[in-house]
Amino acid sequence: MKSKFLGTGVALVTPFKSDLSVDYDALKNIVEFNIENGVEYLVISGTTAESVTITKQEKKDITKAVIEANKGRVPLVLGIGGNNTVAIIDEIKSTDLSEIDAILSVSPYYTKPTQEGIYQHFKAIAEATSIDILLYNVPGRTSKNVEPDTIIRLANDFDNIIGVKEAGNSTYQYLQLLKNKPEDFLVISGDDDLALGVTLAGGSGVISVIGQAFPKEFSEMIRLGLKGEAKDAYKYHYRLMDVIDYIFEENNPAGIKAVFEALGLCSASVRLPLVAASEGLKTKISNFVKAF
């Protein structure tokens, strides 16, 4: 099971039409584009999917659309997380997870629990389901870091907590996790700029934002990293460095949607309180895509 999540997973965007309704045709095209170009798995309803401004019904419909487009070809991960432990457990129990290989559950945001509170939160979730769980630590969004000791404690205590998407942008924290984790626990980069270095250091790959726009190149880079072929892998890294910076220059997912617009795969529209990428940023991104 755990080998399903070695390599490149991509945090899918939610494409919108001009009226900001979900563009399911574009979503299916993006799924096809990524599978054809070699990504190892797909992540539905993560941060990049604008999950906080998607309705419950839209989330069900988006999940169904991705399942239909995937046709069982690659593993699927579904985001189910938040800061209401009971509500998360209720959602897990009320969701048809028969086509889902794992859930991605973000650490509690806004309420700023202690490390013990974070541990008890994930303990309750792990004990409420048999599905595999990937923890998601993104302190820049949650305002609370999940310390490596807490992650390792959860990894040792619960068999269905199989890995962490670590997005603290801290090389030291990645190395702490890699040094102390159980042997088969997955440390997955959530930072596109650090993904190759983390993989070379012993990580399991990445759940990427930019990877969904350049899936062939990004997933090959990570595969080379998993094989320890650093010199060849960094050739891809250097090609993608500028656009990785661009997509996070204003906000995510406005940046990646601007890339998709330049590629002709979906519009750059996002829902408030996010706003679309500025014209200046769109121009930089468009020039990169044309020259790539």
Side-chain angles (χ1 to χ4, degrees), residues 11-279:
L12 293 169
V13 301
T14 300
F16 297 128
K17 299 177 182 178
S18 59
D19 64 357
L20 295 184
S21 62
V22 178
D23 188 340
Y24 292 100
D25 290 336
L27 177 60
K28 291 178 180 179
N29 288 338
I30 290 168
V31 168
E32 191 64 33
F33 176 65
N34 276 270
I35 294 173
E36 285 182 355
N37 284 284
V39 304
E40 276 75 29
Y41 59 101
L42 305 173
V43 179
I44 307 163
S45 195
T47 304
T48 305
E50 298 174 69
S51 54
V52 295
T53 53
I54 297 296
T55 68
K56 290 180 180 180
Q57 186 58 52
E58 284 174 332
K59 183 175 181 177
K60 290 179 181 179
D61 294 342
I62 288 165
T63 303
K64 180 181 178 182
V66 174
I67 290 170
E68 290 176 351
N70 181 42
K71 299 183 177 71
R73 289 175 288 176
V74 299
L76 300 177
V77 178
L78 179 63
I80 304 180
N83 58 2
N84 183 334
T85 310
V86 171
I88 294 166
I89 292 170
D90 287 345
E91 182 177 352
I92 291 169
K93 290 183 175 180
S94 64
T95 300
D96 180 2
L97 299 173
S98 60
E99 300 293 330
I100 301 299
D101 295 271
I103 62 170
L104 178 70
S105 198
V106 69
S107 62
Y109 46 80
Y110 187 71
T111 47
K112 300 177 73 172
T114 63
Q115 294 301 305
E116 183 62 25
I118 293 170
Y119 175 87
Q120 293 297 333
H121 169 83
F122 283 120
K123 176 179 185 286
I125 292 170
E127 290 177 341
T129 182
S130 60
I131 195 167
D132 283 337
I133 299 165
L134 295 171
L135 310 175
Y136 180 18
N137 181 37
V138 57
R141 291 185 178 275
T142 65
S143 81
K144 191 75 174 185
N145 185 38
V146 184
E147 301 290 344
D149 286 350
T150 303
I151 293 170
I152 299 305
R153 182 184 173 197
L154 287 162
N156 283 319
D157 289 354
F158 302 100
D159 289 341
N160 60 332
I161 296 181
I162 65 166
V164 61
K165 177 187 176 184
E166 172 60 38
N169 210 250
S170 167
T171 300
Y172 180 68
Q173 182 146 316
Y174 277 115
L175 294 177
Q176 285 180 301
L177 289 168
L178 291 168
K179 175 178 178 288
N180 297 315
K181 72 179 183 69
E183 184 178 358
D184 58 356
F185 187 74
L186 305 173
V187 176
I188 300 168
S189 176
D191 299 299
D192 283 349
D193 56 341
L194 300 181
L196 177 56
V198 171
T199 302
L200 287 165
S204 303
V206 64
I207 293 176
S208 175
V209 177
I210 195 60
Q212 65 193 301
F214 300 95
K216 183 176 181 180
E217 294 80 8
F218 203 92
S219 59
E220 181 59 19
M221 177 186 78
I222 297 298
R223 280 191 288 270
L224 289 167
L226 287 167
K227 292 187 287 186
E229 298 178 16
K231 185 175 180 180
D232 288 337
Y234 270 107
K235 292 177 182 177
Y236 289 103
H237 177 82
Y238 295 141
R239 289 184 69 194
L240 293 164
M241 274 180 64
D242 287 346
V243 78
I244 290 171
D245 286 343
Y246 295 160
I247 65 167
F248 296 109
E249 190 172 298
E250 293 181 356
N251 70 67
N252 179 45
I256 186 63
K257 283 189 167 182
V259 179
F260 274 140
E261 186 173 77
L263 291 168
L265 283 168
C266 77
S267 81
S269 299
V270 293
R271 286 179 177 172
L272 289 171
L274 300 181
V275 294
S278 66
E279 290 305 315

